[in-house]
Amino acid sequence: MIVVGYTPDKFGAAALEHGIAEAKFRSTGLKVVNTSTGDSLADPRFADSEAMTELHATLDRSGVEYVLDQAVVSDTVDALLTVMDGDDADVLVIGIRHRSAVGKLLMGSSAQQLLLSCPKPVLAVKPPR
């Protein structure tokens, strides 16, 4: 199974596109994970009902068997790593963005944590310019 760390933005769209392609290539299913830590009233990384409807439509059109998991969790990185610890998880696909060294120092980098800590292959993708 291909696991996609999804956010409702161009980075999540790139991860989803590559995740679907990887699932088709490997003839396997897809698990799309969208999480929030719930520490703010509005989290732009947490898909609202409109984004979820569009996400379902995109996944239905893909023809790939999928599971969509949306949850409020204590830590997004830990949630994805837990999914990747499963026997059926083969590859994690994430969208990445350029961040300055200061930005990484102040805010941390979920992508960097996933790249370094994931026990299985991680495919990090960027959206087209």
Side-chain angles (χ1 to χ4, degrees), residues 49-102:
S49 61
E50 184 179 324
M52 289 298 285
T53 299
E54 182 159 331
L55 179 56
H56 274 288
T58 299
L59 290 165
D60 288 342
R61 283 191 306 272
S62 75
V64 172
E65 189 174 312
Y66 70 90
V67 174
L68 184 52
D69 184 13
Q70 185 180 47
V72 175
V73 298
S74 60
D75 185 273
T76 297
V77 171
D78 285 343
L80 285 168
L81 291 174
T82 298
V83 172
M84 292 307 297
D85 278 337
D87 290 337
D88 57 344
D90 298 313
V91 175
L92 174 62
V93 183
I94 57 172
I96 58 170
R97 65 188 84 224
H98 177 75
R99 300 204 36 195
S100 69
V102 173

